Amino acid sequence: MIDFFNTRIAFEGKSDADLKRAEFLFRAMASSSLVKAGRFFSNLASNLHIPIGWALRPTIYKHFVGGENLEDTRHAIDNLGRRRVMAVLDYSAEGGSSEADIETTYQETIRSLEFARTNPYVSHGVFKPSGVGPAEILKKYCRKLPLTVEEEERFRSFRHRFMTLCRMAHEYGIRLLIDAEHVAYQDIVDELTIEAMTLYNKERAIVFATLQMYRHDRMSLLQRIHEASLKHGFIPGIKFVRGAYMEEERMLAHQGGYPDPICVDKAATDRNYDEGVRFTLERLAHFEVFIGTHNEHSCQMATKLIGELGIAPDDKRIFFAQLYGMSDNLSFNLSNAGYNVSKYLPYAPVDKVLPYLMRRAEENTAIQGQTSRELHLIRTEIERRKSTKGGA
C-alpha cells in the first residue's frame, strides 16, 4: 500500500513560499461565494476587455498553468522531470468557434506535438475535438440532421484535422490523448478515434480514446473497442476519467426527453471506473492504459492489481495522471513507488485560459472534500517543516 499522505514526498519540490501561496489559494477556493464572485468579475473583465492578468499570474494561473506558450512550459516540465513525473502538454485556450479560432488551436496542437518529440519529459500529446471543429455542426451530424453546403465543408475540415493530428502523432512516435466531449457529439469522436486506432495502433498504442466513466454505457463501448481490436489487429489506448459535465448532461437529458446518460450516483461511477481499469489491466497484452484520477481508492486498487498480476510498476503500457496543481500527494508518491506518472500541464495566454481556471476553482469547491484534502495536506507539510526546523 502506498502512503498517499506522505507530504514530505508530495511537496518536496515546493518551497515554503510556494506552500504558503497554495494554502492561500485553496483557502480562497473553499469559499463558494468567493469563487462565484471571481466568476462574475472575470466574465465582466473579459466582456469589457479589462486586463486582469496582473492579478491572476502570481496566484491561480501560476498554480494551475504551465505558461503562456510552449517555451514557457519548459520550467514546469523540467521541475516535474527532476522528480520522475512527466507532462501532457494541453493547449487550453477557449472561447472561439470561428474557422480562424479553430485553425489557431489546430496549428498550436501541431506545434505541441513537434515540441513533445524533442522533450524526453513529455509523455503524451492531447487535443480536444471541439477545439479543432465546430461543436454545433458536430451535434447536427450526430443527430443525423441535414448539413448545409458550408457545414459539410466545415465538417470535412474537422475530420481532416482530427485524422492529421493522429497521423502526425504516429509519425513522431508520440502518444496522443483525444479528450472526451459532451454526449451530444461524443459518438463522432468515438467513431473517428476507433478509425484512427485501427490505422495507427498496430505495433503500440499511439491514439488514446477517453472514456468518461460516469456514463453508464462506457463499459459496453470498452468491450466493443476490445472486440474490434482483436478483429482488426490493433492495440487500443484507453484513457479513463470519471467525467466533466455531469450536471450539464443531466439537464440536457431532461430538456431533450432522453434517458440520463450518467450513472445513478457517485458510488456507481466509482464502480464503473474501477471495473474499466480492471478490465484493461487484466488484458494488458491487448491495451495501453492511462489512468486519470484524483481518487486515492482508485489508485490503490490499480497498484494492488498491478502487483497481483505480476506487472512491473514501471511498465510503459500504464500511466497514472493528475492535473497540474492538484493531488501532488498522489502523483509524487506514485512516482516515488516506481509507477509512470504524468501531470496534465495546461498552457495558454491568461485571457484565453480564464474559462479553464474558473472551472478548476469551481470544481475544487464542488468536489466533495477535494479542497479540504488539499488544504489539510498543505497544512500538514507546513507544520512538518516547522517541527523539523524546530527540532534542528
Side-chain angles (χ1 to χ4, degrees):
M1 296 286 284
I2 298 173
D3 178 10
F4 287 122
F5 294 94
N6 186 325
T7 59
R8 181 188 63 79
I9 291 173
F11 299 116
E12 199 171 35
K14 290 190 181 299
S15 67
D16 292 350
D18 291 334
L19 285 174
K20 283 292 185 182
R21 279 193 296 268
E23 182 191 25
F24 171 81
L25 180 62
F26 280 102
R27 194 168 68 240
M29 288 191 295
S31 167
S32 59
S33 58
L34 196 58
V35 170
K36 286 177 183 175
R39 164 69 79 176
F40 172 79
F41 285 114
S42 66
N43 287 340
L44 182 65
S46 179
N47 292 334
L48 296 178
H49 304 290
I50 299 172
I52 58 173
W54 61 271
L56 297 179
R57 277 192 185 90
T59 55
I60 190 170
Y61 183 88
K62 182 177 182 179
H63 190 85
F64 289 114
V65 182
E68 298 212 0
N69 53 53
L70 283 167
E71 196 58 36
D72 286 349
T73 66
R74 287 187 187 277
H75 178 70
I77 292 171
D78 289 345
N79 283 343
L80 292 172
R82 278 193 286 271
R83 302 192 61 202
R84 300 180 302 281
V85 170
M86 301 184 79
V88 177
L89 288 171
D90 182 14
Y91 181 60
S92 298
E94 299 182 24
S97 59
S98 69
E99 280 300 299
D101 292 325
I102 288 169
E103 184 64 21
T104 296
T105 299
Y106 174 60
Q107 292 300 330
E108 185 60 36
T109 306
I110 289 174
R111 283 191 287 273
S112 75
L113 292 177
E114 292 169 343
F115 183 92
R117 70 169 171 168
T118 64
N119 194 308
Y121 295 142
V122 177
S123 64
H124 300 69
V126 63
F127 76 95
K128 192 170 180 61
S130 59
V132 297
E136 290 306 313
I137 293 175
L138 302 185
K139 288 180 189 176
K140 284 185 71 174
Y141 178 90
C142 288
R143 291 172 62 190
K144 296 183 167 48
L145 297 174
L147 302 181
T148 66
V149 172
E150 180 188 355
E151 288 171 339
E152 286 276 8
E153 180 57 34
R154 294 191 73 187
F155 179 80
R156 282 194 293 271
S157 295
F158 157 72
R159 191 185 192 287
H160 172 75
R161 292 181 181 114
F162 188 109
M163 298 304 290
T164 298
L165 290 172
C166 294
R167 176 181 55 77
M168 290 183 69
H170 179 255
E171 291 173 356
Y172 293 168
I174 298 295
R175 287 165 289 199
L176 181 62
L177 307 167
I178 299 175
D179 274 348
E181 296 281 5
H182 288 89
V183 170
Y185 47 98
Q186 182 63 42
D187 284 353
I188 182 58
V189 176
D190 292 339
E191 178 185 317
L192 291 178
T193 302
I194 293 171
E195 180 181 340
M197 286 196 291
T198 305
L199 288 172
Y200 302 121
N201 290 18
K202 293 296 187 183
E203 297 176 356
R204 55 176 286 204
I206 291 291
V207 178
F208 281 67
T210 298
L211 272 57
Q212 298 190 102
M213 301 307 287
Y214 69 0
R215 283 185 57 171
H216 49 66
D217 64 348
R218 295 296 86 178
M219 275 305 300
S220 61
L221 173 63
L222 178 59
Q223 289 161 353
R224 180 158 61 88
I225 291 173
H226 179 50
E227 290 166 4
S229 72
L230 296 178
K231 180 179 179 181
H232 298 292
F234 66 90
I235 300 169
I238 303 294
K239 171 191 164 189
F240 290 105
V241 296
R242 275 170 168 77
Y245 312 108
M246 183 175 72
E247 296 304 326
E248 190 175 354
E249 294 290 14
R250 284 191 161 143
M251 179 189 69
L252 292 172
H254 176 73
Q255 292 175 349
Y258 56 86
D260 186 345
I262 307 299
C263 291
V264 64
D265 55 25
K266 185 181 184 301
T269 295
D270 290 343
R271 288 193 299 272
N272 207 36
Y273 185 97
D274 291 345
E275 184 184 354
V277 171
R278 180 177 293 277
F279 182 93
T280 52
L281 290 179
E282 289 177 343
R283 298 162 179 80
L284 195 59
H286 305 288
F287 285 100
E288 290 194 25
V289 192
F290 189 93
I291 305 170
T293 183
H294 291 250
N295 185 287
E296 179 194 335
H297 170 80
S298 290
C299 291
Q300 291 286 21
M301 184 279 298
T303 56
K304 183 172 181 287
L305 182 58
I306 287 168
E308 290 173 352
L309 294 171
I311 302 167
D314 63 349
D315 190 303
K316 295 303 181 186
R317 295 170 294 180
I318 306 170
F319 265 82
F320 291 85
Q322 290 78 39
L323 293 171
Y324 185 71
M326 289 174 63
S327 298
D328 286 352
N329 64 309
L330 301 182
S331 304
F332 294 110
N333 281 298
L334 280 165
S335 173
N336 187 67
Y339 294 90
N340 300 310
V341 183
S342 278
K343 284 286 198 182
Y344 244 70
L345 184 63
Y347 73 95
V350 179
D351 59 323
K352 297 290 187 183
V353 81
L354 197 53
Y356 174 87
L357 292 174
M358 288 301 100
R359 278 203 306 280
R360 292 289 78 80
E362 289 167 347
E363 285 170 9
N364 274 279
T365 303
I367 296 171
Q368 186 178 14
Q370 180 68 41
T371 298
S372 61
R373 280 195 299 275
E374 296 282 356
L375 264 175
H376 173 71
L377 290 162
I378 290 166
R379 286 169 174 167
T380 298
E381 177 58 11
I382 290 172
E383 289 304 314
R384 188 197 69 80
R385 292 185 184 185
K386 282 181 182 176
S387 64
T388 302
K389 289 173 185 175

